């Protein structure tokens, strides 16, 4: 895994047996490869939180909408053909 820069996790449709394996993987990733960045979006931020003994709870106020500029590196600018990415929806 030392050749990776970032690991992104995807959302499964329901609680499945492989989630335990994923939690083990994330645990090994953050402890044995601290230089690799982990990106958690939606389900995956919940897995990262569970792995690190954090907590994810529903927003009692409902959906939030936030517009944020995400600065890109030169490599990111080349990939997305933009200087920044914009937009985010959160619950």
């Amino acid at each position: 895994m030392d050749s990776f820069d970032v690991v992104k996790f995807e959302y499964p449709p329901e609680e499945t047996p492989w989630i335990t394996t994923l939690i083990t993987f994330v645990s090994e990733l953050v402890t044995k490869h601290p230089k690799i960045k982990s990106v958690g979006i939606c389900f995956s931020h919940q897995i990262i939180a569970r792995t690190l003994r954090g907590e994810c709870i529903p927003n009692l106020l409902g959906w939030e909408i936030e517009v944020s500029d995400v600065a890109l590196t030169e490599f990111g600018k080349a990939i997305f053909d933009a200087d920044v990415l914009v937009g985010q929806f959160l619950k």
Side-chain angles (χ1 to χ4, degrees):
M1 279 197 290
D2 291 327
S3 64
F4 295 127
D5 294 321
V6 175
V7 175
K8 178 183 177 281
F9 307 98
E10 293 289 333
Y11 176 79
E14 58 192 44
E15 185 80 16
T16 60
W18 58 263
I19 289 177
T20 302
T21 304
L22 178 59
I23 290 171
T24 300
F25 172 80
V26 172
S27 178
E28 290 179 9
L29 176 69
V30 299
T31 57
K32 295 180 181 176
H33 306 278
K35 291 184 180 184
I36 299 175
K37 296 165 183 66
S38 298
V39 177
I41 300 170
C42 201
F43 164 77
S44 55
H45 86 276
Q46 296 172 44
I47 287 296
I48 293 169
R50 280 173 64 175
T51 301
L52 301 176
R53 296 194 174 34
E55 182 180 29
C56 294
I57 59 171
N59 182 351
L60 299 177
L61 300 175
W63 283 92
E64 294 181 26
I65 299 174
E66 175 184 298
V67 177
S68 300
D69 288 349
V70 178
L72 299 173
T73 63
E74 291 304 315
F75 182 67
K77 290 175 185 178
I79 291 173
F80 294 107
D81 192 29
D83 291 331
V84 295
L85 296 180
V86 179
Q88 188 174 54
F89 295 88
L90 307 169
K91 184 174 183 180

